């Protein structure tokens, strides 16, 4: 939804709702942080003063009487952090309202699992990962409920609202019903889940390279087909049973506290999710092997980039060494010392960016390092 707010900032302002401190995305499907990152980082910092919090809260209002500040990271706030925000709103005379989209436990885990693969180099099997993962929504709501007035918290069920997320949000903030939300806004997927083929390829990349390139490769695949419908990963019944045991009490608390005891939130996926897990929004199916080809092309380009960067590093080091004629005449430098050979043989020196002649004088000679091919 944050991309919608970003794209529609001017329209929102015309309704009296500011969406400030935004990150200015480059395209509709860009995966990025919402405008709440400034607030999140400031409130989380241990040294932040009350005046600083008041100042950043005020900055979200711009020229409007209402402000929208969004971030999924707010679910990581402790009671102390929410207390500071509440106190700031009281000092400033503004009404704090938290709109929280809660997800069913297993769909939350399935989505979080893909995020770990896409952004953090994950490659464990889902069943193994789920044993250690945490359903953050229940904990976050319990923390908020312990600090904020009940009237300041509105909880919406993501799994039931997903077809009309934006409309549901506007209803929650009592926005003008005349505000038009077109079909493209409603169906746009940002940071979507993975298809089975994409997931398999990314896990292979992550196993080989760790987290260094998971974000880059996942964005390559997602941006190439942004409207593809993600395919939920398979999991064992024992995993579902374990999650039921772990979270049934917590789910019941959420339903009793925020949904008048109705069984809205659940551990298991809703039937509507089970029925169409692999539906595609694109009219043209992705050709088999296309994902592998995209990653192969990326790999070749990455190798070329690394080669160019390495060559530049060598040239920079040679240039630095060539400039330092005084060090060349140092008695510890052999007459046949080859700067380029020293760098190629001693790759740690090359990648450190230090002057190779100085390194040989300070360390290389004593360590007995080779300096010619």
């Amino acid at each position: 939804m944050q991309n919608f707010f970003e794209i529609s900032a001017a329209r929102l302002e015309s309704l009296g709702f500011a969406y400030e401190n935004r990150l200015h995305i480059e395209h509709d499907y860009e995966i990025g942080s919402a405008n709440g990152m400034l607030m999140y980082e400031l409130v989380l910092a241990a040294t932040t003063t009350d005046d600083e919090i008041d100042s950043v809260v005020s900055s979200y209002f711009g020229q409007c009487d209402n402000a929208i500040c969004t971030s999924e990271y707010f679910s990581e706030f402790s009671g102390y952090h929410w207390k500071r925000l509440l106190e700031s709103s009281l000092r400033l005379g503004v009404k704090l309202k938290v709109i929280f989209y809660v997800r069913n436990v297993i769909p939350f885990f399935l989505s979080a699992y893909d995020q770990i693969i896409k952004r953090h180099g994950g490659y464990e099997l889902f069943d193994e990962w789920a044993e250690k993962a945490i359903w953050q929504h229940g904990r976050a709501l319990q923390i908020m409920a312990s600090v904020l007035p009940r009237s300041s918290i509105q909880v919406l069920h993501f799994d039931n609202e997903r077809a009309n997320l934006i409309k549901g949000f506007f209803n929650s903030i009592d926005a003008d019903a005349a505000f038009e939300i077109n079909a493209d806004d409603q169906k746009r997927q940002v940071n979507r889940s993975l298809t089975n083929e994409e997931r398999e390829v990314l896990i292979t990349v992550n196993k080989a390279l760790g987290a260094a390139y998971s974000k880059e490769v996942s964005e390559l695949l997602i941006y190439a087909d942004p409207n593809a419908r993600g395919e939920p990963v398979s999991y064992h019944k024992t995993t579902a049973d374990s999650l039921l045991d772990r979270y049934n009490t917590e789910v019941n608390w959420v339903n009793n506290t925020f949904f008048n005891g109705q069984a809205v939130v659940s551990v298991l996926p809703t039937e509507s999710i089970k029925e169409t897990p692999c539906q595609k929004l694109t009219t043209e199916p992705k050709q088999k092997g296309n994902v592998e080809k995209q990653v192969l092309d990326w790999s070749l380009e990455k190798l070329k980039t690394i080669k160019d960067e390495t060559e530049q590093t060598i040239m920079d080091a040679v240039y630095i060494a060539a400039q330092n004629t005084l060090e060349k005449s140092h008695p510890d430098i052999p007459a046949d010392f080859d700067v380029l050979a020293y760098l190629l043989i001693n790759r740690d020196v090359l990648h450190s960016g230090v002057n190779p002649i100085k390194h040989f004088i300070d360390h290389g000679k004593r360590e007995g390092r080779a300096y010619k091919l």
Side-chain angles (χ1 to χ4, degrees):
M1 279 181 25
Q2 62 260 31
N3 283 26
F4 168 79
F5 295 138
E6 182 92 23
I7 295 166
S8 307
R11 295 165 63 200
L12 290 169
E13 187 172 357
S14 70
L15 291 178
F17 291 88
Y19 190 73
E20 298 292 338
N21 300 316
R22 50 191 184 274
L23 301 179
H24 303 290
I25 59 175
E26 296 181 4
H27 56 85
D28 290 359
Y29 295 96
E30 182 175 342
I31 301 170
S33 300
N35 73 332
M37 280 304 295
L38 175 64
M39 175 83 77
Y40 168 76
E41 292 172 352
L42 191 74
V43 171
L44 225 58
T47 58
T48 303
T49 66
D50 288 347
D51 286 343
E52 288 173 327
I53 293 180
D54 291 352
S55 177
V56 77
V57 169
S58 298
S59 72
Y60 280 93
F61 285 83
Q63 303 300 314
C64 299
D65 293 331
N66 304 286
I68 298 173
C69 178
T70 65
S71 176
E72 61 188 29
Y73 291 106
F74 291 160
S75 63
E76 298 176 7
F77 277 172
S78 68
Y80 171 73
H81 299 134
W82 283 116
K83 182 173 182 288
R84 295 201 72 183
L85 270 182
L86 177 62
E87 290 172 346
S88 176
S89 69
L90 293 173
R91 287 193 298 270
L92 295 170
V94 300
K95 179 182 178 181
L96 174 66
K97 182 173 184 177
V98 179
I99 299 173
F100 191 99
Y101 283 91
V102 64
R103 294 205 69 171
N104 293 342
V105 176
I106 289 182
F108 170 88
F109 272 43
L110 293 172
S111 177
Y113 176 66
D114 272 359
Q115 296 304 316
I116 292 294
I117 293 172
K118 290 188 294 184
R119 317 300 277 188
H120 305 290
Y123 57 84
E124 285 184 290
L125 294 174
F126 175 81
D127 297 284
E128 297 171 356
W129 172 84
E131 290 179 7
K132 299 169 284 186
I134 297 173
W135 184 52
Q136 296 174 326
H137 287 186
R139 174 181 172 276
L141 286 169
Q142 288 176 339
I143 290 173
M144 280 189 280
S146 69
V147 176
L148 302 179
R150 177 65 185 83
S151 59
S152 296
I153 308 171
Q154 181 165 356
V155 181
L156 302 177
H157 188 221
F158 178 92
D159 304 86
N160 286 347
E161 299 275 348
R162 62 187 308 161
N164 295 288
L165 287 179
I166 299 172
K167 184 177 180 180
F169 177 85
F170 277 97
N171 289 339
S172 298
I173 62 174
D174 299 322
D176 190 342
F179 185 83
E180 293 185 4
I181 305 169
N182 62 48
D184 289 338
D185 289 334
Q186 285 284 15
K187 71 180 182 180
R188 183 185 297 115
Q189 297 185 101
V190 177
N191 199 13
R192 64 167 173 79
S193 296
L194 300 167
T195 66
N196 290 327
E197 187 181 9
E198 291 167 342
R199 189 179 296 112
E200 183 179 344
V201 168
L202 274 170
I203 286 175
T204 301
V205 171
N206 292 346
K207 280 183 178 179
L209 303 176
Y213 298 109
S214 55
K215 178 177 180 289
E216 187 175 342
V217 177
S218 66
E219 289 184 358
L220 168 77
L221 299 177
I222 289 173
Y223 293 162
D225 194 0
N227 287 322
R229 177 69 71 183
E231 298 169 328
V233 68
S234 299
Y235 53 89
H236 292 112
K237 183 179 182 300
T238 53
T239 297
D241 292 342
S242 173
L243 293 175
L244 276 167
D245 289 340
R246 286 167 59 188
Y247 291 112
N248 198 48
T249 300
E250 208 166 324
V251 164
N252 287 338
W253 176 86
V254 171
N255 285 328
N256 289 331
T257 305
F258 298 103
F259 296 103
N260 298 317
Q262 299 179 59
V264 175
V265 183
S266 65
V267 174
L268 300 176
T270 60
E271 288 302 316
S272 61
I273 294 175
K274 290 181 181 179
E275 288 169 3
T276 56
C278 303
Q279 179 185 354
K280 299 278 284 184
L281 294 182
T282 49
T283 55
E284 294 293 331
K286 187 179 290 186
Q287 294 181 358
K288 185 173 178 58
N290 190 43
V291 169
E292 286 89 342
K293 182 181 184 304
Q294 289 174 331
V295 174
L296 174 60
D297 291 343
W298 170 85
S299 300
L300 294 173
E301 183 62 31
K302 180 60 66 176
L303 286 173
K304 180 180 180 301
T305 301
I306 292 172
K307 175 178 177 291
D308 292 343
E309 291 173 351
T310 302
E311 288 177 352
Q312 186 61 50
T313 301
I314 293 173
M315 293 302 297
D316 290 344
V318 171
Y319 176 77
I320 291 171
Q323 293 294 101
N324 201 332
T325 56
L326 291 177
E327 286 183 350
K328 278 186 173 180
S329 62
H330 194 282
D332 287 340
I333 295 295
D336 58 349
F337 185 83
D338 187 329
V339 171
L340 183 57
Y342 189 70
L343 291 171
L344 293 175
I345 295 169
N346 302 284
R347 297 297 178 89
D348 59 323
V349 181
L350 169 64
H351 293 297
S352 70
V354 301
N355 185 323
I357 294 178
K358 188 174 188 308
H359 184 274
F360 184 82
I361 294 170
D362 294 342
H363 308 284
K365 182 179 180 181
R366 174 169 43 84
E367 296 170 1
R369 297 212 184 198
Y371 56 82
K372 59 182 180 179
L373 296 172

